Amino acid sequence: MSCVLKDGELCYYAVDIPKDAKPDLKLLADVLRSEIWLPPDIRCWLADLVDPGAGTTLQFKKLSKRKGGAKPSPVIDFELAKYVEAQARLGVPRKNTIADAAEGYGVSRSTIEARFATYKKARDEHDRIISEQIEPFDMPAAPQVKK
C-alpha cells in the first residue's frame, strides 16, 4: 500500500509500491511534523528505521566523521615541490618520486600533488610577472622653474 500527504491528511492508495522505488523519508518527516494520528503502518516503518534487527533495507546508518591527515607546513610545501621537481630533472618517474616523498614526509600522495600544483602555479605567475617588467629607464630631470 502507498500513501501521500494531501491537505494535511494521509491518503492511502491500493496500488503496490514498485520494487525499484526509492524510500520517501520526506513523507515520514511531514507526517511526524503534522497533527495526524500515526497509523500502525507508519509506526512500524519508523520503528524499522531505528531497529538494527528489523532486517529491512531502510535503516539509519551511523555516520562517522572522517579524520583528516596532518597538513604539511609551508616549509614542507616548498621542500616537497622542489624534491618532486629535482627528481623529475634526474629522470626518475613521477609516480616513484611521489611515492618516495609521501613516505619520507609523512603525507598523502594527493597532498603532494596538490602542493606541487600550487607551487608550480605560483612559480609560473612569478615568472610571468618578471617577464612583463619593463627595464627601468632614466627620466629626464624636470626643469627648474624660478619663482
Side-chain angles (χ1 to χ4, degrees):
M1 181 184 308
S2 60
C3 60
V4 298
L5 193 62
K6 275 190 179 175
D7 300 323
E9 292 196 21
L10 221 56
C11 298
Y12 293 96
Y13 294 100
V15 179
D16 285 341
I17 299 172
K19 290 193 185 281
D20 60 343
K22 302 271 189 221
D24 187 5
L25 296 178
K26 175 75 171 108
L27 174 64
L28 177 62
D30 291 343
V31 168
L32 290 174
R33 288 187 184 108
S34 72
E35 297 293 323
I36 297 174
W37 170 80
L38 284 179
D41 292 339
I42 292 187
R43 292 173 62 93
C44 252
W45 184 24
L46 184 58
D48 286 348
L49 285 173
V50 294
D51 182 12
T56 65
T57 58
L58 300 174
Q59 296 268 305
F60 286 120
K61 302 282 188 220
K62 182 178 180 181
L63 300 176
S64 61
K65 189 173 181 179
R66 197 181 89 129
K67 295 179 183 176
K71 307 273 189 259
S73 71
V75 174
I76 292 176
D77 288 350
F78 290 123
E79 289 177 12
L80 281 169
K82 288 178 182 177
Y83 176 77
V84 171
E85 208 170 53
Q87 292 297 322
R89 277 191 296 249
L90 293 173
V92 179
R94 184 178 174 91
K95 187 175 182 180
N96 295 355
T97 300
I98 291 177
D100 292 344
E103 187 177 324
Y105 288 96
V107 294
S108 69
R109 297 174 68 117
S110 61
T111 298
I112 294 171
E113 291 284 1
R115 301 305 178 221
F116 184 70
T118 302
Y119 171 78
K120 188 175 177 190
K121 190 184 295 183
R123 192 190 64 218
D124 291 346
E125 181 67 13
H126 175 266
D127 293 345
R128 185 190 64 76
I129 291 170
I130 295 297
S131 69
E132 288 178 359
Q133 285 182 347
I134 301 172
E135 292 293 323
F137 57 93
D138 294 329
M139 285 187 61
Q144 295 293 326
V145 179
K146 291 184 182 178
K147 290 186 181 182

